[in-house]
Amino acid sequence: MKKLSLLVAAVALAFSASPALAKKQLVIVVKGLDNPFFEAIHQGCEKWNKENANSEYECFYTGPASTSDEAGEAQIVQDVLGKADTAAIAISPSNAKLIAQTLKTANPTVPVMTIDADLAKEDSALRMTYLGTDNYLMGVRIGDYIKQHKPNGGTVCTIQGNPGADNILRRAQGTRDSLSGQNGLAELKGEGGWTEVAGCPVFTNDDGAKGVQAMTDILAANPKLDAFAIEGGWPLFGAPQPYRDLFKPLADRIASGDFVVSAADTIGDEVAIAREGLVTALVGQRPFEMGYKAPSVMLDLIAGKKVDDPVFTGLDECTKDTVDTCIQK
């Protein structure tokens, strides 16, 4: 009898000491963990976890170490979709075509959505919705600020990220459409008075220092360049001091509107750079909001509820005169 009592006690102790059942995972896979933009998405994800501590679901944030590791992101997506505790997945595709092929191969049984960046239009059936910025509109607004200061046109260079990133390609198209007054042009050759200079667009693979070096080279070859359209904020938030060093000598031209730098995002040092007058305008996204909303959207997809496609988050637009009030709180 004593041995039986000890056995019962041991079993009870084992159960009481065992960890709680693992939560089902609402996974967010981003392009890279080295980008402060995606860290803002992470913080939104963590806020959701804090507010839903008793939920059977957990927001789980992951991605490759570097935003340039396209294959690494695809492998993570494949691995996550093979895990039994994955309940849904939200992906920011670094290379839209590669992620589409990964989804086709994995043939997931859980809801799939995109966040921040979408798949190409022809692959949109592979995901249930897109949550994030209206990237085409963002590009249009970047172009609008350039056109506002240089209504008669001029020369321009677009600074882009990964050549396979659908979100950046959509922004660049929006900028071209805004400047030219036409839709769908692959390059500006005088339309609307605007011409893209040789060597542009520049693809930086989301590397800030590479972006600053590219702009240095473009300015050396084109000292009378009229505008930069920076379709992602990498040079400003990824290499803020080299960016300042490059544009301080051009501060008077920027202030007068003779030279225009219109850039994406409002994170890191970007707003401070706007306050210093070293960028004409910032068209910012809301990554924290994306990370905070994504788990709720995934839960709606799991429940079979109707979810809009796309689900857009807004834009924050900042100039030197509005830096103190331009960011949505």
Side-chain angles (χ1 to χ4, degrees), residues 317-318 321-329:
E317 301 185 19
C318 301
D321 295 331
T322 66
V323 289
D324 294 325
T325 58
C326 62
I327 306 297
Q328 183 194 56
K329 302 300 182 183

Side-chain angles (χ1 to χ4, degrees), residues 13-14 20 61 108 123 140 145 159 165 168 199 213 223 229 251 261 281 306 328:
L13 180 62
Y61 168 88
D123 293 319
V140 168
Y145 278 105
I159 307 299
I168 305 301
Q213 184 58 57
V261 184
K306 178 176 173 54
Q328 183 194 56

Side-chain angles (χ1 to χ4, degrees), residues 194-267:
W194 288 97
T195 300
E196 293 181 64
V197 299
C200 298
V202 173
F203 293 100
T204 68
N205 288 319
D206 297 9
D207 185 318
K210 185 175 180 180
V212 173
Q213 184 58 57
M215 289 189 291
T216 302
D217 295 341
I218 291 296
L219 284 170
N222 303 271
K224 294 184 178 181
L225 184 76
D226 290 291
F228 276 120
I230 306 176
E231 306 293 354
W234 322 285
L236 291 84
F237 64 67
Q241 193 53 51
Y243 177 93
R244 287 181 168 100
D245 293 342
L246 175 61
F247 286 103
K248 277 180 181 177
L250 299 169
D252 289 344
R253 286 189 65 198
I254 294 172
S256 69
D258 179 58
F259 179 60
V260 185
V261 184
S262 188
D265 300 323
T266 52
I267 60 177

